[in-house]
Structure formats: C-alpha cells, structure tokens
C-alpha cells in the first residue's frame, strides 16, 4: 500500500513539476505588444521635440526604453506599410498593395510567413485589435452578413477585432473574427464603391445633416454615418454601425480583455490605433483638450490609450516581461479630407518635425516616424540613431525567439540587437516608397526621377517628385533642401545600381 501511495505521489509530483517548468519556460518568453498609430508624425510626440502638444505617456515609454531617431515605415501611406509589416516584403514587389477601398479582397498571402505566425510558431497567443486595411475575403464582391474569409485569422491571428479599412471608409462596422458585430439579419449590409446604393443620405446631397464637413474635392461626401460623410456607399447594418467617439475606447477595452485573458501565457498583440487618421472625432472628454484642433485632441487620446495599456501591464505584473513597440504607419498629414480646424489651429506645430514632406511623400517626413521600444531586454533611457525599418520586425522577432529567418520575408533583416538598442548601425540599405522609390545608404539618399506632381495641393504636402535625380546627404541636410546629384554623379550611379539590385532580388 505504501509503495502504491509512493508511486502516486511521484506521479503527481512529476505532473506538477512538468507544468511548473512548462509555465516558467512560457513565462521566460516576453509578451510583445505592437502599438501602431495611424498618420502620426515624427514631430507629433513631445519626446521627439514637439512643443505645441505634450504626450507624457509616450515620453515615459521612451524614457523606459529606446527611442529611435532613424526608424521608418516602408511607405508613405497606410496599406503598403501594413503589408510590409505583416509579410517582411517591400509592398512594391506585389501588385495591388496601394491604399485599398473598404471592400477590397485580402492582399496578405495566407500560405506564407507573417508576423503573427512567427509568434504562433513559438507557442504565443496572437491577436489584432483595431484598424486592418489589408482587405477581406477572396474577392471584392462579398456578403457582409455572413462569415467573411480569409482575413486576419487566416494570416495568423488567433483572435481579431477590427474595422475593415479606415474610419473614413465604409463599412463603418466592427468585425470580430469573421463576422460583423451586432448585425441584424433583418437589416442586411450592402457596400458599393462604384455607385450609390439605397436611399441613405450622403454628404454631397444632404450637407445639412453633417456635424463635420468634408474638405473640398477629397471624396468624403458619400454615405453619412454619425453625421460624417464617408468614402464609398453603404446601406443597412444600422444597429451595427459604430460611433466615432466610441471607437478608440472600444478597441482599448478589447485589447485589455485580451491581455487579461492571456496573462498566464505568452502573447503577441497587434494594437492598431486609428488616431490621428481622419475623421478626427475623439471621445467627448478629449475634445478641445489640445490647442491644435481635433487632430491634436486625437493625439492626446492616443497618448492616453498608450498610458492605459502601460498601467494595465503594471497592475497585472506583466510590465517586466513585456516588450512594447510603438510606431506609426506613415508620416503626418494635417488636412486629409475634413474641416476639423487642424489647419487653422496648427499654431506653428511641425508634425513632421525637422523633416520635409509628410504622408504621401518621398521626402523623409513620409516614412521617418516615431519608433519606441521598451521592456524586457531593451536598453533604457537610450536614443538610437541606427537605421531600422518596420519591415525588419518579422525577422528580428524570429531571431529573438530562436527561429531561422522566415524565407518568405525576403526584405526583412534579423536586427534584434538593434531593436534592443545595443547595435548602433542597423540596416545598411533601405528602400523608401511613395509615388516612386528612393534608396538610403550611409546617410546618402537618392530619389528616382519621375513625372509626378511636386505638391499635393489638397493636403499641402511636398511629395518629393521631380523629373531630375535627387541626392541628399541626410547627415548634413536632414531637411533635404540641397540636391547634390549634379555635384556627386558617382554617388548617384552607386545608389542607382544598388536600387536596381534590390528591385531584382
């Protein structure tokens, strides 16, 4: 009998010890939260020099980790940057990766490596909460009243809570995993980007119903939702439509629920914010809190949201075992389609900081964005000038997790030591993408000649387009004011050859 009891005790001890060791091994893997802002510029954060607005939570995050001064999205617009983030490939290598309409089909391959799949392979729970804008389903024509596949789940996320595209595009609904949240079968949703459908009022036909007017010639005058004209036409789904003022706090609550649910196991959360993308309609509490119009108010809301995530991690005892990466999908734009007083109340605020251009631009303001990393293993209170791109996150985290570089992520580099703030160099070559391509090496930047317009008059953005070659020494001229192409033709040729080599990989 004693022998039997001893054997049972040994078995129980073995089981307990196994689970304890397993839990400890899992605990040793740091959680990773990637917080991705939308249209936030280098100069929109006080840790990066903003003086007209203060972002105390982002500043605290920077002080607790490493703040990068030469980190980039791949592209000057949102969809291509997100494609690169997910796949580790420059978006210009694949057709159809431009800014997508709200009814677009999925553009991220489901049979290849992705950022969330890297974490899933290491035993992480994965989630995306917030803006998606990478398409859904296998075709444009889709039934919004049924499950829509493939989408984020098929790309590698165990859980997804998103809106399909951007806040200024229909359909203005949340989707949880494959299905619209709050859908009433008796009020089916229809979406069309080619022509008006149904009898819904539009900003063009019923301007008296708007609580925020559209800027002229921007296209934000189709179906009205919550007093705001959108791009595209929609009917039905009345009860499922979100209210702009509640979008940010809804995403925050869902993100916090995911963190709490998975506090005992490693997780990867892609928290994709909508601020300060248009339409800027922050929660009422934040309206008027800045002196920069609704754009500034939206940035304050964004900063508060980051603070809420940091506070939750502290309360759950997860802060020391979590890596937070904060960045933006592209540079800033002030007037991007709505009359929200952001232009009138800019008060000299330099959203792109010392850089030229902004969203849509080949100049540095288009892709050089805030990039802060903090948490386990990250150098504290540190500033890094290393060249780093969001495209490198997939390979860098694979390196952290002891994996080989995903073969499909051909443009991503294993730079985890750079991400930690330890390596001073980072990338040697980086290709920027807007209307045309540019390449950077050793602080020399070459922009390919093209016939694009020099200025986007609608947004008042210098686009970096020119019919002649452009060459800038970013070490001495970060504002890209002095074109050195004629003075250094051999450097132009060197960078042209490097770019061709990159394009032909």
């Amino acid at each position: 009998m004693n022998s039997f009891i001893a054997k049972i005790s040994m078995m129980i001890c073995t089981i307990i010890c196994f689970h304890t060791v397993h839990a400890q091994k899992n605990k040793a893997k740091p959680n990773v939260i990637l917080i991705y802002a939308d249209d936030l510029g280098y100069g929109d954060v006080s840790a990066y020099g903003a003086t007209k607005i203060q972002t105390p939570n982002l500043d605290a995050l920077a002080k607790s980790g490493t703040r990068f001064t030469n980190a980039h999205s791949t592209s000057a617009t949102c969809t291509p940057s997100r494609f690169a983030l997910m796949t580790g490939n420059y978006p210009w290598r694949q057709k159809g990766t431009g800014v997508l309409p709200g009814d677009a089909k999925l553009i991220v391959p489901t049979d290849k490596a992705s950022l969330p799949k890297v974490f899933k392979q290491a035993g992480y729970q994965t989630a995306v909460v917030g803006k998606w804008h990478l398409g859904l389903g296998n075709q444009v024509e889709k039934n919004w009243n049924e499950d829509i596949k493939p989408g984020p789940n098929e790309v590698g996320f165990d859980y997804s809570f998103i809106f399909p595209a951007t806040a200024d595009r229909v359909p203005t609904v949340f989707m949880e995993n494959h299905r619209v949240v709050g859908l009433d079968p008796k009020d089916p949703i229809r979406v069309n980007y080619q022509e008006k459908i149904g009898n819904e009022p539009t900003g063009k036909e019923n301007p008296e119903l708007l609580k925020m007017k559209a800027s002229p010639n921007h296209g934000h005058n189709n179906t009205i939702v919550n007093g705001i004209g959108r791009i595209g036409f929609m009917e039905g789904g009345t009860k499922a439509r979100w209210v702009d003022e509640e979008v940010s706090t809804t995403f925050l609550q869902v993100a916090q629920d995911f963190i709490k649910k998975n506090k005992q196991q490693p997780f990867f959360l892609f928290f994709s914010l909508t601020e300060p993308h248009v339409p800027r309609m922050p929660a009422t509490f934040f309206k008027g809190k800045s002196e920069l119009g609704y754009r500034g108010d939206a940035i304050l809301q964004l900063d508060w949201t980051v603070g809420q995530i940091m506070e939750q991690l502290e309360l759950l005892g997860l802060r020391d075992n979590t890596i937070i990466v904060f960045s933006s999908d592209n540079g800033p734009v002030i007037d991007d389609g709505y009359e929200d007083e952001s232009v009138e109340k800019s008060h000299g605020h330099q959203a792109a900081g010392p850089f030229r251009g902004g969203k849509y631009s080949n100049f540095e303001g288009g892709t050089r964005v805030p990039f802060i990393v903090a948490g386990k293993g990250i150098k504290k209170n540190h500033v890094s000038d290393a060249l780093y791109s969001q495209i490198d996150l997939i390979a860098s985290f694979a390196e952290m997790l002891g994996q080989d570089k995903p073969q499909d992520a051909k443009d991503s580099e294993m730079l985890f030591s750079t991400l930690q703030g330890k390596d001073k160099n980072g990338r040697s070559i980086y290709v920027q993408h807007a209307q045309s391509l540019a390449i950077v090496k050793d602080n020399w930047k070459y922009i390919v000649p093209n016939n694009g317009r020099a200025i986007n008059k609608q947004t008042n953005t210098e686009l970096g387009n020119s019919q002649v070659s452009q060459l800038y020494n970013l070490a001495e001229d970060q504002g890209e004011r002095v074109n050195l192409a004629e003075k250094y033709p051999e450097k132009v040729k060197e960078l042209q050859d490097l770019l061709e080599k990159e394009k032909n990989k």
Side-chain angles (χ1 to χ4, degrees):
M1 185 67 176
N2 289 340
S3 176
F4 176 75
I5 293 175
K7 288 181 179 179
I8 294 296
S9 298
M10 186 175 293
M11 288 174 61
I12 292 173
C13 179
T14 300
I15 292 171
I16 291 173
C17 288
F18 171 79
H19 283 291
T20 300
V21 171
H22 184 66
Q24 288 172 343
K25 286 177 70 176
N26 278 346
K27 196 66 177 176
K29 297 176 182 177
N31 308 308
V32 176
I33 301 176
L34 170 56
I35 305 177
Y36 209 47
D38 196 352
D39 294 355
L40 186 75
Y42 189 99
D44 283 326
V45 179
S46 44
Y48 282 87
T51 57
K52 303 295 183 180
I53 192 168
Q54 296 299 307
T55 52
N57 293 298
L58 287 172
D59 296 355
L61 186 68
K63 190 173 182 179
S64 69
T66 294
R67 176 173 64 86
F68 288 78
T69 63
N70 194 14
H72 297 255
S73 60
T74 63
S75 307
T77 48
C78 50
T79 296
S81 289
R82 291 162 194 270
F83 176 86
L85 184 74
M86 286 294 110
T87 66
N89 290 296
Y90 285 125
W92 41 266
R93 295 195 188 280
Q94 178 174 309
K95 290 183 179 181
T97 57
V99 179
L100 296 179
D103 60 351
K105 66 179 182 178
L106 180 68
I107 61 171
V108 180
T110 58
D111 59 346
K112 295 183 178 180
S114 70
L115 182 59
K117 286 179 183 177
V118 164
F119 288 98
K120 280 180 66 69
Q121 187 175 327
Y124 281 60
Q125 286 293 303
T126 60
V128 55
V129 176
K131 172 180 174 176
W132 179 237
H133 209 186
L134 289 166
L136 296 167
N138 287 319
Q139 57 187 21
V140 172
E141 290 294 330
K142 56 181 67 72
N143 187 344
W144 293 94
N145 311 288
E146 299 178 348
D147 284 4
I148 299 177
K149 302 178 183 178
N153 302 85
E154 287 68 36
V155 167
F157 291 105
D158 296 306
Y159 176 75
S160 69
F161 189 96
I162 62 170
F163 60 53
T166 56
D168 59 342
R169 287 170 170 79
V170 298
T172 53
V173 295
F174 294 122
M175 292 189 68
E176 187 172 32
N177 296 321
H178 300 112
R179 201 165 182 85
V180 172
V181 175
L183 182 65
D184 181 356
K186 298 179 182 178
D187 186 24
I189 295 171
R190 291 179 61 216
V191 173
N192 195 302
Y193 272 76
Q194 305 302 317
E195 59 185 9
K196 182 181 178 181
I197 52 174
N199 297 311
E200 299 272 351
T202 67
K204 182 178 181 179
E205 298 169 345
N206 305 97
E208 73 280 1
L209 300 179
L210 297 173
K211 67 181 181 182
M212 179 186 284
K213 293 182 179 180
S215 301
N217 304 315
H218 276 255
H220 294 98
N221 60 356
N222 298 150
T223 301
I224 297 174
V225 179
N226 187 35
I228 300 172
R230 315 285 166 160
I231 298 174
F233 299 97
M234 172 183 179
E235 71 168 349
T238 306
K239 294 179 181 178
R241 300 181 186 187
W242 38 252
V243 176
D244 298 74
E245 290 88 340
E246 298 176 356
V247 168
S248 185
T249 50
T250 299
F251 285 150
L252 173 61
Q253 184 63 59
V254 174
Q256 289 180 317
D257 287 346
F258 174 80
I259 292 171
K260 185 176 181 181
K261 181 180 178 181
N262 292 281
K263 62 182 179 180
Q264 299 294 339
Q265 57 190 331
F267 63 81
F268 167 62
L269 170 62
F270 176 35
F271 189 21
S272 182
L273 309 180
T274 184
E275 298 97 343
H277 193 283
V278 296
R280 298 147 186 156
M281 188 56 64
T284 302
F285 175 79
F286 290 99
K287 291 177 180 176
K289 292 293 184 180
S290 76
E291 296 181 355
L292 302 178
Y294 277 1
R295 185 174 187 275
D297 300 343
I299 292 172
L300 293 184
Q301 179 170 269
L302 177 156
D303 183 71
W304 174 82
T305 301
V306 172
Q308 293 299 297
I309 293 294
M310 293 165 62
E311 183 177 317
Q312 183 192 26
L313 293 174
E314 290 283 3
L315 291 172
L316 293 176
L318 299 176
R319 184 72 185 273
D320 291 340
N321 195 49
T322 301
I323 294 174
I324 299 175
V325 178
F326 175 86
S327 195
S328 177
D329 62 353
N330 49 249
V333 59
I334 307 302
D335 181 3
D336 205 21
Y338 294 95
E339 296 180 0
D340 58 8
E341 296 189 316
S342 295
V343 175
E344 298 90 328
K345 294 184 176 181
S346 60
H347 299 311
H349 173 65
Q350 301 297 316
F355 304 109
R356 195 173 178 184
K359 183 178 181 180
Y360 310 115
S361 175
N362 257 323
F363 288 130
E364 287 293 283
T367 64
R368 195 182 298 215
V369 290
F371 193 91
I372 300 169
V373 188
K376 186 175 182 180
I378 310 300
K379 202 169 182 178
K380 295 183 178 181
N381 198 23
H382 179 63
V383 177
S384 173
D385 298 324
L387 179 60
Y388 192 87
S389 172
Q390 295 166 7
I391 204 171
D392 298 319
L393 287 174
I394 182 171
S396 297
F397 281 121
E399 182 182 8
M400 180 193 81
L401 295 167
Q403 301 173 10
D404 294 332
K405 174 186 169 179
Q407 291 184 352
D408 298 325
K410 67 166 62 177
D411 299 308
S412 187
E413 297 186 11
M414 300 181 88
L415 296 172
F416 186 62
S417 61
T418 304
L419 203 62
Q420 291 178 297
K422 297 177 181 178
D423 174 65
K424 297 181 179 180
N425 298 316
R427 278 184 159 260
S428 59
I429 297 172
Y430 161 64
V431 180
Q432 293 173 293
H433 169 230
Q435 283 79 22
S436 61
L437 299 180
I439 188 167
V440 176
K441 184 180 187 296
D442 299 331
N443 276 314
W444 285 96
K445 177 176 176 180
Y446 165 71
I447 303 177
V448 175
N450 67 89
N451 293 319
R453 52 184 173 166
I455 296 176
N456 182 338
K457 293 183 179 180
Q458 289 180 318
T459 62
N460 193 30
T461 303
E462 290 185 287
L463 298 175
N465 297 321
S466 174
Q467 294 182 5
V468 301
S469 293
Q470 295 176 78
L471 178 71
Y472 300 101
N473 183 348
L474 297 177
E476 300 177 358
D477 178 25
Q478 62 181 359
E480 297 170 280
R481 296 295 175 183
V482 182
N483 184 1
L484 300 172
E486 290 187 4
K487 186 175 182 179
Y488 298 106
E490 71 285 351
K491 180 61 68 173
V492 170
K493 182 65 166 59
E494 174 192 345
L495 294 176
Q496 284 176 334
D497 291 344
L498 279 173
L499 181 56
E500 285 303 309
K501 185 177 179 181
E502 285 293 305
K503 289 167 66 175
N504 293 324
K505 268 188 177 180

